[in-house]
């Protein structure tokens, strides 16, 4: 105990920070009511005080760990609790409603080329059925299809006519939880303005304190306008991200270029920007202060120069929006400056722990952001690398005159490269957790691009901000002068990402694998491998762990899979069904959704779901018919999951679908058109094309022709279980299939045409005789998909109906005799943690037998 207590005492701040983080993370796993949690915290506090008063120092220090852990959980639970005021907008809005509101524009409005957004602090609200305004409070995120007028400055009082609703997202595992993301910013209601004509400014006299409060945001707004006028796209979007922290105008191609180059952190105002700015400021201030002989004799010039940097850094934080990442970086810089100005012993672990504690006390939800995790992981990794790499450790201690300039330059390059490699190794698991992508050229691209952007373009841009109030022409010239640095940086990024192995996409690693990775990395950094055998053991273990990142454990264990899993993904208004057969053979039937966003559901929903499961390969893709809501996400899956074949109903003149076929052929996929009755035999399971309805219409389609009745009718069978996937067929096709009697009986039926009234006839239900009906539809189409009478129709037929809009992703597991149906709901601030919830487990009723032909699939090549 004495040895452990001694280590705990020497690293007490770091231990308490870890305990606080564990307490915050505990709230995502276990939801404890505030009262029992407060009682547990109070009891632990009394125990700690008792141990301290009885002079049991070792035990009192040890009891601080669970106490701080409980305080972290209690602090997060209190922060999660919504407002209890009856006037809070989250209490007023339970469903979509139109209203007129009066409020204040809180921050600079943004526009990404498709959608404008602004945060509004409400003051009052009036609905159509109400004669007068009533009080309201809370923050609403308001969106529009048009950019907000430039004269709408932050702090302006507005009246808006808009549609209010609760934010919604996809209830699919692995998908970004948008409602939870907004709730952690205390936004629980969103609004939509159909036209800029519905936004009006209220002419009011603004008090001086009101003007001072919104002065930084108005400064940001003016700087953004100056950047847009001086620099053309896409350079203006990069400038806005670097200077004022507005990434909304960075287009998808530019964002992908930064991501693939491994320098995405440059687009976010982060520690890199503050470190470079503070270093330049320190050099300038130190040089100026040394001009005074009196200061040299009576003060510590270095400490004064460090202190002089703080006001400028604070002003830059205000200019960058003072959001959570910026605030976190500012706190880290202030903590470092205070530590350097003090005469106490300095420890990087203590500095990081103090900064983390301060940030999490202010905002415990910052722990769950990628920027928080990546920033601390990168800094900690560089600090650990400095313990074992002389080039990093001795870089600052070497005097300028000790070595020739080329030796010093080589040492600087080596140190910079070593720091970049260390940061890449330290953040790789977190990058995979959040983005599923790691850039292998990141060390090189950081070495080449960071000096150009952060030492050339960014300082000129910040200088331009200072000249804006009194010399706008000089502002434009300075921005134009720094633009070539951005242009050259983009060219370097394109060069670095041209190579085939410049970056890799991998599945999300499980938590235990991430823990083992960092444990082995820590062992390597702490030099616990002086013994040759221990060194080889640690290195071999680290190599095995890295291999498990590249070849996920699920890909290995799935080969031993003995049951069939059918997952109906929540993709909104669209359809995507994943079939996982015994032995791990996977078939994705359709993969499409809404086309409202520039990013398809393949990138935002299907791929994150697959990566979260640990899946890196899909064996076969199937598109039932060429409607965008069934295939617009397939191109992303095709390019990232290495499928072997693609089934389609027929060629099409649709431009996007034709592009998909060309992409498949370029990737050397076997593209084919299955005939009626063609099948795949996968172990003891079967997958067959019941009917290719396009066969009766000829080889091609014409523009404008309804493709719903020209698709594939598919069925998967395993033992007594069967699932039928009929696409978007109409009642006419349902009658034809029923009359043909093609073995339609199935345990689970995917509702034709998303539960539309033009499909789902009682005759078809009688022929299929399903136990479960799954409707894949969006939340915004309720009343049409599914139609209002479908629930009653299912109840009369004794069918259990599940909808992806209401129940989330639906998963069916079966061994051919027993059936387990589960639904998934994403986590919320006050609800239970995200998890599958078992709906029912029953025996599979016997379905009519079908004679399947064994052997490879028989299909018609395209």
């Amino acid at each position: 105990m004495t040895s452990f207590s001694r280590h705990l005492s020497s690293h007490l701040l770091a231990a308490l920070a870890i305990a606080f983080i564990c307490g915050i993370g505990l709230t995502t796993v276990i939801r404890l009511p505030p009262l029992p949690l407060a009682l547990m915290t109070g009891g632990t506090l009394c125990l700690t005080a008792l141990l301290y008063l009885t002079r049991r120092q070792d035990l009192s220090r040890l009891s601080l760990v669970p106490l701080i852990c409980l305080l972290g959980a209690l602090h997060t639970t209190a922060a999660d609790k919504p407002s209890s005021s009856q006037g809070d907008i989250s209490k007023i809005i339970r469903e979509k409603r139109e209203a007129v509101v009066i409020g204040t524009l809180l921050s600079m409005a943004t526009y990404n080329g498709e959608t404008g957004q602004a945060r509004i602090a409400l003051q009052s609200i009036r609905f159509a059925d109400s004669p007068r305004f009533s009080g309201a409070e809370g923050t609403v995120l308001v969106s529009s299809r048009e950019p907000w007028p430039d004269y709408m400055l932050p702090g302006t009082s507005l009246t808006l006519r808009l549609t209010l609703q609760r934010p919604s997202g996809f209830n699919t595992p692995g998908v970004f939880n948008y409602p939870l993301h907004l709730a952690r910013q205390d936004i629980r209601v969103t609004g939509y303005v159909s036209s800029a004509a519905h936004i009006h400014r209220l002419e009011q006299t603004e008090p001086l304190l009101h003007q001072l409060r919104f002065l930084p945001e108005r400064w940001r707004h003016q700087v953004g306008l100056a950047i847009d006028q001086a620099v053309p796209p896409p350079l203006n979007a990069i400038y806005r991200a670097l200077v004022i922290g507005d990434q909304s105008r960075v287009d998808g191609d530019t964002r992908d270029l930064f991501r693939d180059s491994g320098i995405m952190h440059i687009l976010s105002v982060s520690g890199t920007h503050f470190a470079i700015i503070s270093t330049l400021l320190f050099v300038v201030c130190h040089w100026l202060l040394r001009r005074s002989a009196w200061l040299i004799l009576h003060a510590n010039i270095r400490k004064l120069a460090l202190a002089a940097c703080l006001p400028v850094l604070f002003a830059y934080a205000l200019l960058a929006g003072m959001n959570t990442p910026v605030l976190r970086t500012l706190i880290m810089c202030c903590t470092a400056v205070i530590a350097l100005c003090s005469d106490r012993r300095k420890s990087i672990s203590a500095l990081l722990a103090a900064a983390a504690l301060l940030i999490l006390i202010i905002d415990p939800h910052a722990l769950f952001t990628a920027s928080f995790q990546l920033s601390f992981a990168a800094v900690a990794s560089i600090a650990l690398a400095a313990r074992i790499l002389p080039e990093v450790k001795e870089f600052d201690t070497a005097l300028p005159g000790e070595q020739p300039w080329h030796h010093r330059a080589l040492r600087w390059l080596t140190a910079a490269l070593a720091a970049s490699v260390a940061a890449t190794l330290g953040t790789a698991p977190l990058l995979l957790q959040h983005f599923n992508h790691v850039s292998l050229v990141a060390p090189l691209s950081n070495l080449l691009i960071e000096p150009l952007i952060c030492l050339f373009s960014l300082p000129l841009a910040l200088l331009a901000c200072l000249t804006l109030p009194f010399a706008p022409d000089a502002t434009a010239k300075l921005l134009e002068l720094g633009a070539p640095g951005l242009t050259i940086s983009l060219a370097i990024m394109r060069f670095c990402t041209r190579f085939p192995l410049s970056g890799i996409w991998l599945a999300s690693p499980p938590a235990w694998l991430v823990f083992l990775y960092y444990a082995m990395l820590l062992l390597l950094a702490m030099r616990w491998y002086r013994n040759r055998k221990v060194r080889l053991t640690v290195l071999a273990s680290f190599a095995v762990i890295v291999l498990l990142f590249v070849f996920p454990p699920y890909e290995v264990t799935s080969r031993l899979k003995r049951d069939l899993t059918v997952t109906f993904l929540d993709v909104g208004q669209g359809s995507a069904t994943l079939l996982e057969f015994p032995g791990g053979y996977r078939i994705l039937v359709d993969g499409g959704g809404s086309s409202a966003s520039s990013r398809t559901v393949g990138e935002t929903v299907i791929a994150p779901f697959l990566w979260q499961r640990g899946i890196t390969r899909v064996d076969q893709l199937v598109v039932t018919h060429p409607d965008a809501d069934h295939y617009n996400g397939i191109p992303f899956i095709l390019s990232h999951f290495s499928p072997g074949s693609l089934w389609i109903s027929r060629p099409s003149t649709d431009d996007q679908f034709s592009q998909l076929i060309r992409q498949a052929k370029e990737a050397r996929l076997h593209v084919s058109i299955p005939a009626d009755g063609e099948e795949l035999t996968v172990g003891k399971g079967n997958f067959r094309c019941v009917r290719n309805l396009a066969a009766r219409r000829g080889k091609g389609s014409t523009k404008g022709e309804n493709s719903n009745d020209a698709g594939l009718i598919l069925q998967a069978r395993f033992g007594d279980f069967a699932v039928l996937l009929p696409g978007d067929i109409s009642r006419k096709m349902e009658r034809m299939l029923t009359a043909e009697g093609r073995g339609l009986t199935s345990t689970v039926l995917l509702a034709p045409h998303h539960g539309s009234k033009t499909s789902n006839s009682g005759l078809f239900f009688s022929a299929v005789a399903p136990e479960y009906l799954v409707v894949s539809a969006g939340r915004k189409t309720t009343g049409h998909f599914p139609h209002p009478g479908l629930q009653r129709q299912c109840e009369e037929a004794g069918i259990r109906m599940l909808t992806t809009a209401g129940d989330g992703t639906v998963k069916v597991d079966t061994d051919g005799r027993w059936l387990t149906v589960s639904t998934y709901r994403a986590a919320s601030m006050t609800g239970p943690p995200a998890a599958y919830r078992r709906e029912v487990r029953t025996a599979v009723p016997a379905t009519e037998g079908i004679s399947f032909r064994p052997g490879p699939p028989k299909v018609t090549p395209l």
Side-chain angles (χ1 to χ4, degrees), residues 25-46:
L26 190 65
T27 59
T28 64
V29 181
I30 304 174
R31 297 284 190 182
L32 290 177
L35 182 58
L37 194 57
L39 292 175
M40 293 169 61
T41 306
T44 309
L45 177 61
C46 293

Side-chain angles (χ1 to χ4, degrees), residues 219 273-274 277-282 284-285 305-320 322 326 330 333-334 462-463 466:
W219 187 24
H273 304 71
F274 275 79
I277 292 172
S278 58
T279 301
L280 293 175
L281 283 172
F282 174 78
V284 173
C285 293
L306 283 172
C309 295
L310 291 179
V312 181
L313 292 179
F314 186 76
Y316 179 48
L318 291 174
L319 179 63
M322 197 60 88
V326 175
L330 180 63
C333 289
C334 292
L462 293 177
L463 187 60
L466 297 177

Side-chain angles (χ1 to χ4, degrees), residues 336-414:
V337 169
I338 292 171
L340 291 171
C341 290
S342 66
D343 295 323
R344 298 186 61 183
R345 178 177 173 270
K346 303 169 185 64
S347 168
I348 186 63
S349 62
L351 289 176
L352 288 176
L357 277 174
L358 285 173
I359 293 165
L360 295 177
I361 289 172
I362 296 173
D363 180 17
H365 299 131
L367 175 65
F368 306 108
T369 61
S371 58
F372 178 92
Q373 298 173 16
L374 292 172
S375 296
F376 278 93
V379 175
S381 301
I382 295 172
L384 287 173
R387 296 170 59 94
I388 57 177
L389 295 178
E391 290 80 4
V392 180
K393 184 167 58 179
E394 298 174 5
F395 173 64
D396 291 329
T397 61
L399 297 176
E402 290 182 352
Q403 294 178 340
W405 68 268
H406 58 277
H407 285 178
R408 295 198 302 271
L410 180 61
R411 181 179 292 276
W412 186 91
L413 289 173
T414 305

Side-chain angles (χ1 to χ4, degrees), residues 552-610:
Y554 183 78
E555 287 288 359
V556 179
T557 58
S558 64
R559 303 305 171 187
L560 306 176
K561 182 178 173 64
R562 296 182 178 276
D563 56 359
L564 171 67
T565 301
V566 183
T567 308
F568 301 93
L569 276 65
D570 175 17
V571 292
Q573 185 57 33
S575 181
T577 306
L578 179 68
L579 304 170
E580 297 179 76
F581 284 89
Y585 192 87
R586 305 182 187 102
I587 301 175
L588 179 65
V589 179
D590 289 332
S594 172
S595 302
S597 173
S598 58
R599 303 173 65 199
T600 67
V601 295
E603 182 179 359
T604 59
V605 181
I606 304 174
F609 166 77
L610 295 173

Side-chain angles (χ1 to χ4, degrees), residues 681-705:
T681 300
V682 186
K684 296 181 180 179
N686 300 90
F687 180 73
R688 70 162 182 153
C689 173
V690 177
R691 189 78 153 82
N692 186 346
L693 300 176
R696 63 188 182 87
R697 293 196 174 190
K699 294 183 178 179
S701 66
T702 59
K703 271 192 173 181
E705 180 185 359

Side-chain angles (χ1 to χ4, degrees), residues 632-651:
N632 61 12
I634 292 293
F636 190 86
I637 305 301
L638 193 152
S639 59
H640 292 82
F641 289 88
S642 307
S645 60
L646 170 65
W647 276 12
I648 62 172
S649 59
R650 62 176 177 178

Side-chain angles (χ1 to χ4, degrees), residues 181-194:
H181 170 72
L182 291 181
R184 286 172 174 164
Q185 302 176 51
D186 202 24
I187 299 174
R188 292 176 169 84
V189 174
T190 59
Y192 175 73
V193 178
S194 59

